[in-house]
Coordinates of all heavy atoms in Angstrom, one line a residue:
M1 N 132.3 93.7 8.3 CA 133.2 92.7 8.8 C 132.6 91.9 10.0 O 132.7 90.7 10.0 CB 134.5 93.3 9.1 CG 135.5 92.3 9.5 SD 137.1 93.1 9.9 CE 136.7 94.0 11.4
R2 N 132.0 92.6 10.9 CA 131.5 92.0 12.1 C 130.4 91.0 11.7 O 130.2 89.8 12.2 CB 130.8 92.9 13.0 CG 131.8 93.7 13.9 CD 131.1 94.7 14.7 NE 131.9 95.8 15.2 CZ 132.3 95.9 16.4 NH1 132.1 94.9 17.3 NH2 133.1 96.9 16.8
F3 N 129.5 91.5 10.8 CA 128.4 90.6 10.2 C 129.0 89.3 9.6 O 128.4 88.3 9.8 CB 127.6 91.4 9.2 CG 126.4 90.7 8.7 CD1 125.3 90.4 9.5 CD2 126.4 90.2 7.4 CE1 124.2 89.7 9.0 CE2 125.3 89.5 6.9 CZ 124.3 89.3 7.7
A4 N 130.0 89.5 8.8 CA 130.6 88.2 8.2 C 131.1 87.3 9.2 O 130.9 86.1 9.1 CB 131.7 88.7 7.3
L5 N 131.7 87.8 10.3 CA 132.2 86.9 11.3 C 131.1 86.2 12.1 O 131.1 85.0 12.3 CB 133.0 87.6 12.3 CG 134.4 88.2 11.8 CD1 135.0 89.2 12.8 CD2 135.4 87.0 11.6
I6 N 130.0 86.9 12.3 CA 128.8 86.4 12.9 C 128.1 85.4 12.0 O 127.8 84.3 12.5 CB 127.8 87.5 13.3 CG1 128.5 88.3 14.5 CG2 126.5 86.9 13.8 CD1 127.7 89.6 14.7
Q7 N 128.0 85.7 10.8 CA 127.4 84.8 9.7 C 128.2 83.5 9.7 O 127.6 82.4 9.4 CB 127.2 85.4 8.4 CG 126.3 86.5 8.3 CD 124.8 85.9 8.5 OE1 124.2 86.0 9.5 NE2 124.3 85.2 7.5
A8 N 129.5 83.5 9.9 CA 130.4 82.4 9.8 C 130.3 81.5 11.1 O 130.9 80.5 11.2 CB 131.8 82.8 9.5
G9 N 129.6 82.0 12.1 CA 129.4 81.3 13.3 C 130.3 81.7 14.5 O 130.2 81.1 15.6
F10 N 131.0 82.8 14.3 CA 131.8 83.3 15.4 C 130.9 84.2 16.3 O 130.0 84.9 15.8 CB 132.9 84.2 14.9 CG 134.0 83.5 14.2 CD1 134.1 83.4 12.8 CD2 134.9 82.8 14.9 CE1 135.1 82.7 12.2 CE2 136.0 82.0 14.3 CZ 136.0 82.0 12.9
Q11 N 131.1 84.2 17.6 CA 130.3 85.0 18.5 C 131.3 86.2 18.7 O 132.4 86.1 19.3 CB 130.1 84.3 19.9 CG 129.4 85.3 20.8 CD 129.1 84.5 22.2 OE1 129.5 83.4 22.4 NE2 128.5 85.3 23.0
V12 N 130.8 87.4 18.3 CA 131.6 88.6 18.3 C 131.0 89.4 19.5 O 129.8 89.7 19.5 CB 131.5 89.4 17.0 CG1 132.4 90.7 17.1 CG2 132.0 88.6 15.8
L13 N 131.9 89.8 20.4 CA 131.4 90.6 21.6 C 131.2 92.0 21.2 O 131.9 92.5 20.3 CB 132.5 90.4 22.6 CG 132.8 89.0 23.2 CD1 134.0 89.0 24.1 CD2 131.5 88.4 23.8
G14 N 130.4 92.6 21.9 CA 130.2 94.1 21.7 C 131.1 94.9 22.5 O 131.8 94.4 23.4
D15 N 131.0 96.2 22.3 CA 132.0 97.2 23.0 C 131.8 97.2 24.5 O 132.7 97.5 25.2 CB 131.8 98.6 22.4 CG 132.3 98.6 20.9 OD1 133.0 97.8 20.5 OD2 131.8 99.5 20.2
T16 N 130.6 96.9 24.9 CA 130.3 97.0 26.3 C 130.7 95.8 27.1 O 130.7 95.8 28.4 CB 128.8 97.3 26.5 OG1 128.0 96.2 26.0 CG2 128.4 98.6 25.9
E17 N 131.1 94.8 26.4 CA 131.4 93.5 27.2 C 133.0 93.5 27.4 O 133.7 92.6 26.9 CB 131.1 92.3 26.3 CG 129.5 92.3 26.1 CD 129.1 91.2 25.1 OE1 129.4 91.4 24.0 OE2 128.5 90.2 25.5
V18 N 133.4 94.3 28.2 CA 134.8 94.5 28.6 C 135.2 93.4 29.6 O 134.4 93.1 30.5 CB 135.1 95.9 29.2 CG1 136.6 96.1 29.6 CG2 134.8 97.0 28.2
G19 N 136.3 92.8 29.3 CA 136.8 91.7 30.3 C 136.1 90.4 30.1 O 136.4 89.5 30.9
V20 N 135.3 90.3 29.1 CA 134.7 89.0 28.8 C 135.4 88.3 27.7 O 135.8 88.8 26.7 CB 133.2 89.3 28.2 CG1 132.5 88.0 27.8 CG2 132.4 90.1 29.3
P21 N 135.7 86.9 27.9 CA 136.4 86.2 27.0 C 135.6 86.0 25.7 O 134.4 85.9 25.7 CB 136.7 84.8 27.6 CG 136.3 85.0 29.0 CD 135.4 86.2 29.1
G22 N 136.3 86.0 24.6 CA 135.7 85.8 23.3 C 136.4 86.6 22.2 O 137.5 87.1 22.4
L23 N 135.8 86.7 21.0 CA 136.2 87.4 19.8 C 135.8 88.8 19.9 O 134.6 89.1 20.1 CB 135.7 86.7 18.6 CG 136.4 87.1 17.3 CD1 137.8 86.7 17.2 CD2 135.6 86.5 16.1
R24 N 136.7 89.7 19.7 CA 136.4 91.2 19.8 C 136.9 91.9 18.6 O 138.1 91.6 18.2 CB 137.0 91.8 21.1 CG 136.7 93.2 21.3 CD 137.1 93.6 22.7 NE 136.0 93.4 23.6 CZ 136.0 92.4 24.5 NH1 136.9 91.5 24.6 NH2 134.9 92.2 25.3
V25 N 136.1 92.8 18.1 CA 136.5 93.7 16.9 C 136.6 95.1 17.5 O 135.5 95.6 17.9 CB 135.6 93.6 15.8 CG1 136.0 94.5 14.6 CG2 135.6 92.1 15.2
T26 N 137.7 95.8 17.4 CA 137.9 97.1 17.9 C 138.4 98.0 16.8 O 139.4 97.6 16.1 CB 138.9 97.1 19.1 OG1 138.6 96.1 20.0 CG2 138.9 98.4 19.7
E27 N 137.8 99.2 16.6 CA 138.2 100.1 15.6 C 139.6 100.7 16.1 O 139.7 101.2 17.3 CB 137.3 101.2 15.4 CG 136.0 100.7 14.6 CD 135.1 101.9 14.2 OE1 135.6 103.0 13.8 OE2 133.9 101.6 14.3
V28 N 140.5 100.8 15.2 CA 141.8 101.5 15.5 C 142.0 102.4 14.3 O 141.4 102.3 13.2 CB 143.0 100.5 15.7 CG1 142.7 99.7 17.0 CG2 143.1 99.5 14.6
S29 N 143.1 103.3 14.4 CA 143.3 104.2 13.3 C 143.7 103.6 12.0 O 143.3 104.0 10.9 CB 144.5 105.2 13.7 OG 145.7 104.4 13.9
A30 N 144.3 102.4 12.0 CA 144.7 101.7 10.8 C 143.5 100.8 10.2 O 143.7 100.4 9.1 CB 145.9 100.8 11.0
G31 N 142.5 100.7 11.0 CA 141.4 99.7 10.5 C 140.7 99.2 11.6 O 140.0 99.8 12.4
A32 N 140.7 97.9 11.8 CA 140.0 97.2 12.9 C 141.0 96.1 13.4 O 141.7 95.4 12.7 CB 138.8 96.5 12.3
L33 N 141.0 96.0 14.8 CA 141.8 95.0 15.4 C 140.9 93.8 15.9 O 139.9 94.1 16.5 CB 142.5 95.6 16.7 CG 143.5 94.8 17.4 CD1 144.7 94.7 16.5 CD2 144.0 95.5 18.6
V34 N 141.3 92.6 15.5 CA 140.5 91.4 15.9 C 141.3 90.7 16.8 O 142.4 90.3 16.6 CB 140.1 90.6 14.6 CG1 139.3 89.4 15.1 CG2 139.4 91.3 13.6
S35 N 140.7 90.5 18.1 CA 141.4 89.7 19.1 C 140.6 88.6 19.7 O 139.3 88.7 19.6 CB 141.9 90.7 20.2 OG 140.8 91.4 20.8
W36 N 141.2 87.7 20.2 CA 140.5 86.5 20.9 C 141.0 86.3 22.3 O 142.3 86.1 22.3 CB 140.5 85.3 20.0 CG 139.7 84.2 20.6 CD1 138.3 84.1 20.7 CD2 140.3 82.9 21.1 NE1 138.1 82.9 21.3 CE2 139.2 82.2 21.5 CE3 141.6 82.5 21.2 CZ2 139.4 80.9 22.1 CZ3 141.8 81.3 21.8 CH2 140.7 80.5 22.2
T37 N 140.3 86.1 23.3 CA 140.7 85.8 24.6 C 139.9 84.5 25.0 O 138.7 84.6 25.0 CB 140.4 86.9 25.6 OG1 141.0 88.1 25.1 CG2 141.0 86.6 27.0
A38 N 140.6 83.5 25.5 CA 140.0 82.3 26.0 C 139.5 82.5 27.4 O 140.2 83.2 28.1 CB 141.0 81.2 25.9
S39 N 138.4 81.9 27.7 CA 138.0 81.9 29.1 C 138.9 81.0 29.9 O 139.7 80.2 29.5 CB 136.5 81.3 29.2 OG 136.6 79.9 28.9
D40 N 138.9 81.2 31.2 CA 139.7 80.5 32.2 C 139.4 79.0 32.1 O 140.3 78.1 32.1 CB 139.6 80.9 33.6 CG 140.1 82.3 33.9 OD1 140.9 82.7 33.1 OD2 139.7 83.0 34.8
E41 N 138.1 78.7 31.9 CA 137.6 77.3 31.7 C 138.2 76.6 30.4 O 138.5 75.5 30.4 CB 136.1 77.2 31.7 CG 135.4 77.6 33.0 CD 135.3 79.1 33.2 OE1 135.5 79.9 32.2 OE2 135.0 79.5 34.4
F42 N 138.1 77.4 29.4 CA 138.6 76.9 28.1 C 140.1 76.7 28.1 O 140.6 75.6 27.7 CB 138.3 77.9 26.9 CG 138.7 77.4 25.6 CD1 137.9 76.5 24.9 CD2 139.9 77.6 25.1 CE1 138.2 76.1 23.6 CE2 140.3 77.2 23.8 CZ 139.4 76.3 23.1
A43 N 140.9 77.6 28.7 CA 142.3 77.5 28.9 C 142.7 76.2 29.7 O 143.6 75.5 29.4 CB 142.9 78.7 29.5
A44 N 141.9 76.0 30.8 CA 142.2 74.9 31.6 C 141.8 73.5 30.9 O 142.6 72.7 30.9 CB 141.3 74.9 32.8
L45 N 140.7 73.6 30.1 CA 140.4 72.4 29.3 C 141.5 72.1 28.2 O 141.9 71.0 28.0 CB 139.1 72.5 28.6 CG 138.6 71.4 27.7 CD1 138.4 70.2 28.5 CD2 137.2 71.8 27.0
A46 N 142.0 73.2 27.6 CA 143.0 73.0 26.6 C 144.3 72.4 27.2 O 144.9 71.5 26.6 CB 143.4 74.4 25.9
R47 N 144.6 72.9 28.4 CA 145.8 72.3 29.1 C 145.5 70.9 29.4 O 146.5 70.0 29.3 CB 146.2 73.1 30.3 CG 146.9 74.4 30.0 CD 147.4 75.0 31.3 NE 146.4 75.4 32.3 CZ 145.7 76.5 32.2 NH1 145.9 77.4 31.3 NH2 144.8 76.7 33.1
E48 N 144.3 70.6 30.0 CA 144.0 69.2 30.3 C 144.1 68.3 29.1 O 144.7 67.2 29.2 CB 142.6 69.2 30.9 CG 142.2 67.7 31.3 CD 140.8 67.9 31.8 OE1 140.5 68.6 32.7 OE2 139.9 67.1 31.3
R49 N 143.5 68.7 28.0 CA 143.5 67.9 26.7 C 144.9 67.7 26.2 O 145.2 66.8 25.4 CB 142.5 68.4 25.8 CG 141.1 68.5 26.2 CD 140.6 67.1 26.1 NE 139.2 67.1 26.6 CZ 138.5 66.0 26.7 NH1 139.0 64.9 26.5 NH2 137.3 66.2 27.2
G50 N 145.7 68.8 26.4 CA 147.1 68.8 25.9 C 148.1 68.2 26.8 O 149.3 68.3 26.6
G51 N 147.6 67.4 27.9 CA 148.5 66.8 28.8 C 149.2 67.7 29.7 O 150.3 67.5 30.1
G52 N 148.5 68.9 30.0 CA 149.1 69.9 30.9 C 150.1 70.8 30.2 O 150.7 71.7 30.9
C53 N 150.2 70.7 28.9 CA 151.1 71.6 28.2 C 150.5 73.0 28.0 O 149.3 73.0 27.5 CB 151.4 70.9 26.8 SG 152.5 71.8 25.8
V54 N 151.2 74.0 28.3 CA 150.7 75.4 28.1 C 150.6 75.7 26.6 O 149.6 76.4 26.2 CB 151.7 76.4 28.8 CG1 151.2 77.8 28.5 CG2 151.7 76.1 30.3
S55 N 151.4 75.0 25.7 CA 151.3 75.4 24.3 C 150.0 74.9 23.7 O 149.7 75.3 22.6 CB 152.5 74.7 23.6 OG 152.5 73.4 23.7
S56 N 149.3 74.0 24.3 CA 148.0 73.6 23.7 C 147.1 74.8 23.7 O 146.2 74.9 22.7 CB 147.4 72.4 24.5 OG 147.2 72.8 25.8
H57 N 147.1 75.6 24.7 CA 146.2 76.9 24.6 C 146.7 77.7 23.4 O 145.8 78.3 22.8 CB 146.4 77.6 25.9 CG 145.6 78.9 26.0 ND1 146.4 80.1 25.7 CD2 144.4 79.2 26.1 CE1 145.4 81.1 25.7 NE2 144.2 80.6 26.0
D58 N 148.0 77.9 23.3 CA 148.5 78.7 22.1 C 148.1 78.0 20.8 O 147.8 78.7 19.9 CB 150.0 78.7 22.2 CG 150.5 79.5 23.4 OD1 149.7 80.4 23.9 OD2 151.6 79.4 23.9
S59 N 148.1 76.7 20.7 CA 147.6 76.0 19.5 C 146.2 76.4 19.2 O 145.8 76.6 18.0 CB 147.8 74.5 19.7 OG 149.1 74.2 19.9
I60 N 145.3 76.3 20.1 CA 144.0 76.8 19.9 C 143.8 78.2 19.5 O 143.0 78.6 18.5 CB 143.1 76.6 21.2 CG1 143.1 75.1 21.6 CG2 141.6 77.0 21.0 CD1 142.5 74.1 20.6
R61 N 144.7 79.1 20.1 CA 144.7 80.5 19.6 C 145.0 80.6 18.2 O 144.5 81.4 17.5 CB 145.6 81.2 20.5 CG 145.7 82.7 20.4 CD 146.5 83.4 21.3 NE 146.6 84.8 21.2 CZ 145.6 85.6 21.7 NH1 144.6 85.2 22.3 NH2 145.8 86.9 21.5
V62 N 146.1 79.8 17.8 CA 146.5 79.9 16.4 C 145.3 79.3 15.5 O 145.1 80.0 14.5 CB 147.8 79.1 16.2 CG1 148.0 78.8 14.8 CG2 149.0 79.6 16.9
I63 N 144.6 78.3 15.9 CA 143.6 77.9 15.1 C 142.5 78.9 14.9 O 141.9 79.1 13.8 CB 143.0 76.5 15.7 CG1 144.0 75.4 15.6 CG2 141.6 76.2 15.1 CD1 143.6 74.2 16.4
V64 N 142.1 79.6 16.0 CA 141.1 80.7 15.9 C 141.6 81.8 14.9 O 140.9 82.2 14.1 CB 140.8 81.2 17.3 CG1 139.9 82.5 17.1 CG2 140.1 80.2 18.1
K65 N 142.9 82.1 15.1 CA 143.4 83.2 14.2 C 143.3 82.8 12.7 O 143.1 83.6 11.8 CB 144.8 83.6 14.6 CG 144.9 84.5 15.8 CD 146.2 85.2 16.0 CE 147.3 84.1 16.3 NZ 148.5 84.8 16.8
V66 N 143.8 81.5 12.5 CA 143.8 81.0 11.1 C 142.3 81.1 10.6 O 142.2 81.5 9.3 CB 144.5 79.6 11.0 CG1 144.2 79.0 9.6 CG2 145.9 79.8 11.3
A67 N 141.4 80.6 11.3 CA 140.0 80.6 10.8 C 139.5 82.0 10.6 O 138.9 82.2 9.5 CB 139.1 79.9 11.9
V68 N 139.8 82.9 11.4 CA 139.2 84.3 11.3 C 140.0 84.9 10.1 O 139.3 85.5 9.3 CB 139.4 85.1 12.5 CG1 139.2 86.6 12.3 CG2 138.6 84.6 13.7
S69 N 141.3 84.8 10.1 CA 142.0 85.5 8.9 C 141.6 84.9 7.6 O 141.6 85.6 6.6 CB 143.5 85.5 9.2 OG 144.0 84.1 9.2
G70 N 141.5 83.6 7.6 CA 141.1 82.9 6.3 C 139.7 83.4 5.8 O 139.6 83.7 4.6
L71 N 138.9 83.6 6.7 CA 137.5 84.1 6.3 C 137.7 85.5 5.7 O 137.1 85.8 4.7 CB 136.5 84.1 7.5 CG 135.2 84.8 7.2 CD1 134.4 84.1 6.2 CD2 134.5 84.9 8.5
L72 N 138.3 86.4 6.5 CA 138.5 87.7 6.1 C 139.3 87.9 4.8 O 138.9 88.8 4.0 CB 139.1 88.6 7.3 CG 138.2 88.6 8.5 CD1 139.0 89.3 9.6 CD2 136.9 89.3 8.3
L73 N 140.3 87.1 4.7 CA 141.0 87.2 3.3 C 140.2 86.7 2.2 O 140.3 87.4 1.1 CB 142.3 86.3 3.4 CG 143.4 86.8 4.3 CD1 144.4 85.7 4.6 CD2 144.1 88.0 3.8
R74 N 139.4 85.7 2.4 CA 138.5 85.2 1.3 C 137.5 86.3 0.9 O 137.1 86.4 -0.2 CB 137.8 84.0 1.8 CG 137.0 83.2 0.8 CD 136.5 81.9 1.2 NE 135.7 82.0 2.4 CZ 134.4 82.1 2.5 NH1 133.7 82.1 1.3 NH2 133.8 82.1 3.6
L75 N 137.1 87.2 1.9 CA 136.1 88.2 1.6 C 136.9 89.5 1.1 O 136.2 90.4 0.8 CB 135.4 88.6 2.9 CG 134.5 87.5 3.4 CD1 133.9 87.9 4.8 CD2 133.4 87.2 2.5
G76 N 138.2 89.4 0.8 CA 138.9 90.5 0.2 C 139.5 91.5 1.1 O 140.0 92.6 0.7
H77 N 139.5 91.3 2.5 CA 140.2 92.2 3.4 C 141.7 91.9 3.4 O 142.1 90.8 3.2 CB 139.6 91.9 4.8 CG 138.2 92.3 4.9 ND1 137.7 93.6 4.9 CD2 137.1 91.5 5.1 CE1 136.4 93.6 5.1 NE2 136.0 92.3 5.2
S78 N 142.4 92.9 3.7 CA 143.9 92.8 4.0 C 144.1 92.6 5.4 O 143.7 93.4 6.2 CB 144.6 94.0 3.5 OG 144.5 94.2 2.1
V79 N 144.7 91.5 5.8 CA 144.9 91.1 7.2 C 146.4 91.0 7.5 O 147.1 90.3 6.8 CB 144.1 89.8 7.5 CG1 144.3 89.4 8.9 CG2 142.7 89.9 7.1
A80 N 146.7 91.5 8.7 CA 148.2 91.4 9.1 C 148.1 91.0 10.6 O 147.2 91.3 11.3 CB 148.9 92.7 9.0
E81 N 149.1 90.3 11.1 CA 149.2 90.0 12.6 C 150.0 91.0 13.3 O 151.1 91.4 12.7 CB 149.9 88.6 12.7 CG 149.9 88.1 14.0 CD 150.4 86.7 14.2 OE1 150.2 85.9 13.2 OE2 150.8 86.3 15.3
T82 N 149.6 91.5 14.4 CA 150.3 92.5 15.1 C 151.5 91.9 15.8 O 151.4 90.6 16.2 CB 149.4 93.2 16.2 OG1 148.9 92.2 17.1 CG2 148.2 93.8 15.6
A83 N 152.5 92.5 15.9 CA 153.8 92.0 16.4 C 153.8 91.6 17.9 O 154.2 90.7 18.5 CB 155.0 92.8 16.1
A84 N 153.1 92.6 18.7 CA 153.1 92.5 20.2 C 152.4 91.4 20.7 O 152.9 90.5 21.5 CB 152.6 93.8 20.7
D85 N 151.1 91.1 20.3 CA 150.3 90.1 21.0 C 149.7 89.1 20.0 O 148.9 88.3 20.4 CB 149.2 90.8 21.8 CG 148.4 91.9 21.0 OD1 148.5 91.8 19.7 OD2 147.8 92.8 21.6
G86 N 149.9 89.3 18.7 CA 149.4 88.3 17.7 C 148.0 88.5 17.4 O 147.4 87.6 16.7
D87 N 147.4 89.6 17.7 CA 146.1 89.9 17.3 C 146.1 90.2 15.7 O 147.1 90.4 15.2 CB 145.5 91.1 18.0 CG 145.2 90.9 19.4 OD1 145.1 89.7 19.8 OD2 145.1 91.8 20.2
L88 N 144.9 90.2 15.1 CA 144.9 90.5 13.7 C 144.4 91.9 13.5 O 143.5 92.4 14.1 CB 143.8 89.5 13.0 CG 144.2 88.1 13.1 CD1 143.0 87.2 12.6 CD2 145.4 87.7 12.4
L89 N 145.2 92.5 12.5 CA 144.8 93.9 12.1 C 144.2 93.8 10.6 O 144.9 93.3 9.7 CB 146.1 94.8 12.0 CG 145.9 96.3 11.6 CD1 144.9 96.9 12.5 CD2 147.2 97.0 11.5
V90 N 143.0 94.3 10.5 CA 142.4 94.3 9.2 C 142.4 95.8 8.7 O 142.0 96.7 9.4 CB 140.9 93.9 9.3 CG1 140.2 93.9 8.0 CG2 140.7 92.6 10.0
L91 N 143.2 95.9 7.6 CA 143.4 97.3 7.2 C 142.2 98.1 6.7 O 141.3 97.5 6.1 CB 144.5 97.3 6.1 CG 145.8 96.6 6.5 CD1 146.8 96.5 5.4 CD2 146.4 97.3 7.7
A92 N 142.2 99.4 7.0 CA 141.0 100.2 6.8 C 140.6 100.2 5.3 O 139.4 100.3 5.0 CB 141.2 101.6 7.3
D93 N 141.6 100.4 4.4 CA 141.2 100.4 3.0 C 140.3 99.3 2.5 O 139.6 99.3 1.6 CB 142.4 100.6 2.1 CG 143.4 99.4 2.2 OD1 143.4 98.7 3.1 OD2 144.2 99.2 1.2
T94 N 140.5 98.1 3.1 CA 139.7 97.0 2.7 C 138.3 96.9 3.4 O 137.4 96.2 2.9 CB 140.4 95.6 2.8 OG1 140.7 95.4 4.2 CG2 141.7 95.6 2.0
I95 N 138.3 97.6 4.6 CA 137.1 97.6 5.3 C 136.0 98.5 4.7 O 134.8 98.2 4.5 CB 137.2 98.0 6.8 CG1 138.1 97.0 7.5 CG2 135.9 98.2 7.5 CD1 138.5 97.4 8.8
S96 N 136.5 99.7 4.2 CA 135.6 100.7 3.7 C 135.6 100.8 2.2 O 135.2 101.9 1.6 CB 136.0 102.1 4.3 OG 137.4 102.4 4.0
A97 N 136.1 99.8 1.4 CA 136.1 99.9 0.1 C 134.7 100.0 -0.5 O 133.8 99.4 0.1 CB 136.8 98.6 -0.5
P98 N 134.5 100.8 -1.6 CA 133.1 101.1 -2.0 C 132.3 99.9 -2.3 O 131.1 99.8 -2.1 CB 133.2 102.0 -3.2 CG 134.7 102.5 -3.1 CD 135.5 101.5 -2.3
D99 N 132.9 98.8 -2.9 CA 132.1 97.7 -3.3 C 132.1 96.6 -2.3 O 131.5 95.6 -2.4 CB 132.8 97.1 -4.6 CG 134.2 96.6 -4.4 OD1 134.8 97.1 -3.5 OD2 134.6 95.8 -5.3
S100 N 132.7 96.8 -1.1 CA 132.8 95.8 -0.1 C 131.7 95.8 1.0 O 131.4 94.9 1.6 CB 134.1 95.7 0.6 OG 134.3 96.9 1.4
G101 N 131.1 97.0 1.1 CA 130.1 97.2 2.2 C 130.7 96.8 3.5 O 131.9 97.1 3.8
D102 N 129.9 96.3 4.4 CA 130.4 95.9 5.7 C 130.5 94.4 5.8 O 129.8 93.8 6.6 CB 129.5 96.5 6.8 CG 130.0 96.2 8.2 OD1 131.2 96.1 8.4 OD2 129.2 96.1 9.2
R103 N 131.3 93.9 5.0 CA 131.5 92.4 4.9 C 131.6 91.9 6.2 O 131.8 90.8 6.6 CB 132.7 92.1 4.0 CG 132.6 92.6 2.6 CD 133.8 92.1 1.9 NE 134.0 92.9 0.8 CZ 134.7 92.6 -0.2 NH1 135.3 91.4 -0.3 NH2 134.9 93.4 -1.2

């Protein structure tokens, strides 16, 4: 799954890059959690381009989630949005399916 994200042009952060903004894939008991954190500079640019509106940052976050989930769904993964923070949960059965490899 990480490889597919990288091949699609996403920069996926490693486990050691804690506190660094970007796209992160973390293993959890149900599968994998995909989260994205904007840098302070990006958030400021989004607010500036959105006329100072805080929701413009949220709009960019939604665009990133749609792009990531669309790719993963197209590759056959089951994707759900977490209720608390809106991160994406990729269910384990689709990550480790015998014919899927490490998409």
Side-chain angles (χ1 to χ4, degrees):
M1 182 180 65
R2 286 177 199 257
F3 181 72
L5 291 168
I6 292 168
Q7 287 296 104
F10 292 100
Q11 180 181 358
V12 180
L13 301 172
D15 295 335
T16 59
E17 298 172 290
V18 178
V20 176
L23 190 68
R24 180 170 275 99
V25 178
T26 309
E27 285 188 42
V28 295
S29 60
L33 189 65
V34 181
S35 58
W36 180 70
T37 305
S39 67
D40 292 338
E41 295 82 11
F42 185 85
L45 179 62
R47 278 192 301 276
E48 178 184 306
R49 297 287 180 183
C53 179
V54 175
S55 66
S56 61
H57 174 263
D58 294 335
S59 297
I60 299 298
R61 184 175 183 81
V62 168
I63 291 168
V64 170
K65 282 196 291 188
V66 168
V68 170
S69 64
L71 171 68
L72 295 175
L73 286 169
R74 189 171 54 94
L75 293 173
H77 295 287
S78 294
V79 180
E81 188 171 333
T82 61
D85 49 21
D87 291 340
L88 298 173
L89 176 63
V90 183
L91 302 178
D93 61 335
T94 62
I95 296 172
S96 59
D99 63 339
S100 68
D102 186 29
R103 298 183 201 198

